[in-house]
Amino acid sequence: MSENYAPKSAVGRWFNDRLPLLNLIYGHLLPYPTPKNLNYWWTFGGILTFCLVTQIITGLVLAMHYVADADLAFASVEHIMRDVNYGWLLRYIHANGASLFFMAVYIHMARSLFYGSYKEPRELIWIIGVFIFLLMIATAFMGYVLPWGQMSFWGATVITNLFSAIPLVGESVTNWLWGGYAVGSPLLTRFFTLHYLMPFLIFALVILHVWALHVPGNNNPEGINVVQGSQDTVPFHPHYVVKDMFALVVFLVVFAGFVFFVPNLLGHTDNYIEANPLQTPEHIVPEWYFLPFYAILRSVPDKLGGVILMVSAIAILAFLPWLDTSKVRSAKYRPLYRQFVWLFFANVILLGYLGAQTADGLFLIIGRIATAYYFAHFIIILPLLGYIEKTKPLPKSLSEPVLSPEERQMKAAASGASA
Amino acid sequence: MSEKQVTRRNFLYVTTGAFAAAGAVSLAWPFVDQMNPDASVKALASTEIDLRPIIPGQSITVMWRGKPVFIRRRTQAEIDEAKKVNLADLPHPEADSDRAQNPEWLVMVGICTHLGCVPLGQKGDYNGWFCPCHGSHYDTSGRIRKGPAPTNLEIPDYVFLNETTIKIG
């Protein structure tokens, strides 16, 4: 496909003969064969790319006004909000953009779980995705520290203290991270540097993610293999370009709703109070997108155990392609998995709710059960289901499930005749 | 497979590789160590405090190395409570006499040993300190009694310079 591409202009041809960049872009964006039945859950890849670019652009301009120093950071953010032309808009886009980025990535991951997109031959796409998710977590956390409000400061304190749970070297490691004996200016400066760097690393991983995707091609709602270039595929452009654009516009309506009407809904009011190392806020909560993992951390009474469990909750995702022993991808053809995957989603939402509550009494007990279930899903339910589940017969092609019985017969007769 | 002979070329490969690796590691160290606490941070290592204004039952919080330090002049009731505890009942057994040089003055780093929040004074189930972040309860000697914190509140190095002044650090 891409080899046949010839730029129309003489300049384009001159350039492309010397560096076939246009060939590469053309091949991956225009005729790239895509299963014809992708639903709207598949549009979040494009939406996520948009989110990343938005964060990079708004972040770049915010960095022109922000000062990464413990004495000046809070005031510089207020300066952005009050004095800088359109500073309020840029900051609100950046802050809400982070939340919507996570909203989109969770939907994107849930889609992969539901339709089995992580399975052979797409394991590496999924694993690269887990690394992107990890980098997103680090980037978002460091970004939240930069305004140097109370939640920034105490969030940074709690999370960097997680490293003190490491046996023997824990204290040295935390002092090294802090560049001091407590969270302060040195930490803020290095977090700013890393917060600036990481989105570019994410961008590089996104290129690998798409590259790895374009080797086997997209999974699809039926979860069956489609032959690239057969009647089951359509060119990416215009079919999915238009579908992705429409989904993006709908997403932007939601985005604009947050930015212009409730820009602080997902934030925490305590972060408009400047950091005070002598006073911990009554109730420290992370940003909403970290709540399920925070609930897992708090469900363990032991410090090191809590940290290990929280890290495992993310790390276990990388092993998912091998923990799920079923060969059938889509939950549509897995009657048991279909129920368990919804139970898993509900459990994650429950953990998120518990992460926002105080960790005692009934909440703590439910939190422990939900944490146990989270891990049981991966290490007990998924491996077992592959052996005990009776899956439904898979269609031979993407057309088959949507044809009427007569059409199906005609098709069978036609293929029988040609065979 | 033929028997492997160590040639002069093998030797050169290994020694060159070893030198390059040692060089890379030693060059990496400055890039790692630059993140450690610097000279200006270490210079703030000690603080002197005048204790005269504090009456029994009152606490002050001072900053030492960027961390809050609680200095509490304990009441007799608090001292008695701290002393009568059976050490076997403690998650991190330490006698009160090992934690306070002078029983009237309790000096400790005001940072929860769980994840670093600042505990609130004279709260919690043991009348000592209570950490609002994840619910750790400390007693009147700053010892962990209940909750996720693994150890007692840390006692910094300090000396009584005279009756009414202490030096932390």
Side-chain angles (χ1 to χ4, degrees):
Chain A
M1 55 188 186
S2 55
E3 295 79 25
N4 304 331
Y5 175 65
K8 286 192 183 69
S9 71
V11 179
R13 271 196 302 278
W14 180 89
F15 183 88
N16 204 48
D17 287 346
R18 282 152 186 81
L19 177 70
L21 184 68
L22 299 172
N23 247 343
L24 191 75
I25 295 170
Y26 173 86
H28 282 283
L29 285 183
L30 301 171
Y32 167 67
T34 321
K36 63 183 178 183
N37 63 338
L38 300 187
N39 56 34
Y40 274 105
W41 301 115
W42 259 265
T43 60
F44 283 87
I47 287 171
L48 284 163
T49 312
F50 171 84
C51 287
L52 178 60
V53 172
T54 305
Q55 291 304 91
I56 289 178
I57 294 171
T58 51
L60 177 81
V61 292
L62 286 170
M64 294 179 182
H65 304 279
Y66 172 77
V67 186
D69 180 282
D71 294 327
L72 305 171
F74 187 81
S76 77
V77 172
E78 286 306 304
H79 163 72
I80 289 170
M81 294 301 288
R82 294 153 195 255
D83 303 336
V84 175
N85 300 332
Y86 292 103
W88 59 273
L89 177 66
L90 297 167
R91 179 167 173 265
Y92 278 153
I93 292 175
H94 197 70
N96 285 286
S99 270
L100 282 142
F101 202 160
F102 273 94
M103 222 174 268
V105 87
Y106 282 133
I107 294 173
H108 191 64
M109 290 163 83
R111 189 269 291 153
S112 186
L113 290 180
F114 190 86
Y115 294 111
S117 301
Y118 51 85
K119 290 187 195 186
E120 199 272 331
R122 297 183 183 82
E123 302 97 321
L124 202 53
I125 309 171
W126 170 260
I127 291 170
I128 294 169
V130 173
F131 279 98
I132 293 175
F133 180 54
L134 268 177
L135 278 180
M136 279 178 66
I137 289 174
T139 310
F141 161 64
M142 291 184 187
Y144 194 61
V145 174
L146 302 185
W148 212 238
Q150 274 288 68
M151 278 296 161
S152 301
F153 183 91
W154 291 101
T157 299
V158 168
I159 301 300
T160 50
N161 260 299
L162 295 179
F163 291 91
S164 70
I166 304 170
L168 302 174
V169 293
E171 204 187 325
S172 322
V173 169
T174 35
N175 286 344
W176 176 73
L177 280 175
W178 290 336
Y181 303 102
V183 170
S185 231
L187 180 95
L188 178 59
T189 315
R190 59 192 62 167
F191 270 20
F192 178 56
T193 315
L194 295 173
H195 181 73
Y196 205 123
L197 166 73
M198 284 185 171
F200 296 99
L201 299 182
I202 295 177
F203 199 88
L205 284 182
V206 167
I207 291 175
L208 296 186
H209 194 63
V210 174
W211 187 6
L213 169 70
H214 286 199
V215 175
N218 289 71
N219 184 31
N220 58 76
E222 306 303 313
I224 59 169
N225 294 327
V226 295
V227 181
Q228 292 198 357
S230 75
Q231 284 204 326
D232 276 348
T233 65
V234 290
F236 187 75
H237 179 77
H239 297 271
Y240 288 108
V241 170
V242 171
K243 189 162 182 163
D244 278 0
M245 286 294 177
F246 178 69
L248 183 62
V249 169
V250 175
F251 179 78
L252 282 174
V253 171
V254 178
F255 199 149
F258 276 108
V259 169
F260 293 107
F261 294 96
V262 281
N264 289 306
L265 181 72
L266 300 170
H268 199 295
T269 45
D270 273 7
N271 224 27
Y272 282 104
I273 302 169
E274 191 169 358
N276 177 0
L278 292 179
Q279 194 193 10
T280 307
E282 277 294 303
H283 187 48
I284 297 185
V285 276
E287 290 280 83
W288 69 267
Y289 38 83
F290 294 146
L291 288 173
F293 303 108
Y294 193 58
I296 291 175
L297 169 76
R298 293 194 307 180
S299 70
V300 189
D302 178 65
K303 180 168 157 182
L304 182 60
V307 174
I308 290 174
L309 219 55
M310 183 177 73
V311 174
S312 311
I314 299 167
I316 202 166
L317 293 172
F319 300 93
L320 178 62
W322 295 277
L323 291 170
D324 186 342
T325 51
S326 175
K327 294 271 173 262
V328 176
R329 295 195 190 101
S330 175
K332 273 176 126 174
Y333 299 96
R334 300 185 61 189
L336 288 176
Y337 176 71
R338 196 190 174 115
Q339 292 165 37
F340 280 113
V341 77
W342 280 113
L343 217 57
F344 176 76
F345 295 155
N347 188 52
V348 171
I349 292 167
L350 173 67
L351 279 169
Y353 169 77
L354 294 168
Q357 310 303 317
T358 49
D360 46 21
L362 188 63
F363 286 130
L364 190 59
I365 297 165
I366 303 172
R368 284 177 184 164
I369 297 169
T371 300
Y373 186 78
Y374 180 93
F375 287 98
H377 178 82
F378 289 109
I379 55 182
I380 300 171
I381 297 171
L382 286 185
L384 279 183
L385 276 187
Y387 296 102
I388 58 174
E389 185 177 45
K390 191 169 161 14
T391 56
K392 293 184 190 163
L394 292 173
K396 285 186 189 59
S397 72
L398 297 182
S399 313
E400 199 187 288
V402 288
L403 293 178
S404 65
E406 299 84 57
E407 285 172 320
R408 217 171 291 177
Q409 263 179 354
M410 271 163 55
K411 196 142 189 174
S415 68
S418 68
Chain B
M1 230 171 81
S2 65
E3 200 170 303
K4 273 189 183 166
Q5 273 206 313
V6 179
T7 62
R8 284 160 65 90
R9 177 155 294 187
N10 293 140
F11 177 77
L12 285 174
Y13 269 136
V14 172
T15 46
T16 311
F19 267 90
V25 169
S26 52
L27 195 60
W29 177 245
F31 290 85
V32 174
D33 192 42
Q34 53 82 23
M35 278 175 68
N36 271 318
D38 60 32
S40 70
V41 171
K42 285 179 180 161
L44 302 170
S46 70
T47 313
E48 283 180 31
I49 299 111
D50 178 9
L51 299 176
R52 276 173 299 184
I54 311 168
I55 58 166
Q58 208 178 31
S59 316
I60 61 164
T61 305
V62 295
M63 287 297 269
W64 171 65
R65 286 176 154 189
K67 298 177 182 183
V69 171
F70 296 152
I71 302 176
R72 179 160 180 84
R73 188 168 183 177
R74 294 189 292 185
T75 60
Q76 196 54 46
E78 286 173 342
I79 299 169
D80 294 343
E81 206 180 322
K83 286 200 186 293
K84 74 168 190 239
V85 173
N86 180 5
L87 288 191
D89 297 341
L90 297 173
H92 178 193
E94 272 185 320
D96 187 58
S97 54
D98 294 335
R99 292 180 55 79
Q101 295 175 18
N102 172 347
E104 196 177 8
W105 296 97
L106 182 63
V107 181
M108 54 191 189
V109 177
I111 289 182
C112 180
T113 55
H114 181 226
L115 294 173
C117 298
V118 178
L120 305 170
Q122 287 64 60
K123 286 219 167 99
D125 296 357
Y126 298 88
N127 239 333
W129 283 263
F130 170 70
C131 181
C133 293
H134 307 95
S136 294
H137 298 255
Y138 298 91
D139 66 13
T140 56
S141 184
R143 292 172 296 202
I144 181 67
R145 300 300 287 274
K146 194 173 129 187
T151 57
N152 301 337
L153 289 177
E154 186 194 340
I155 306 291
D157 288 330
Y158 66 93
V159 284
F160 278 87
L161 296 177
N162 56 49
E163 287 282 283
T164 57
T165 314
I166 62 165
K167 182 177 158 201
I168 304 174

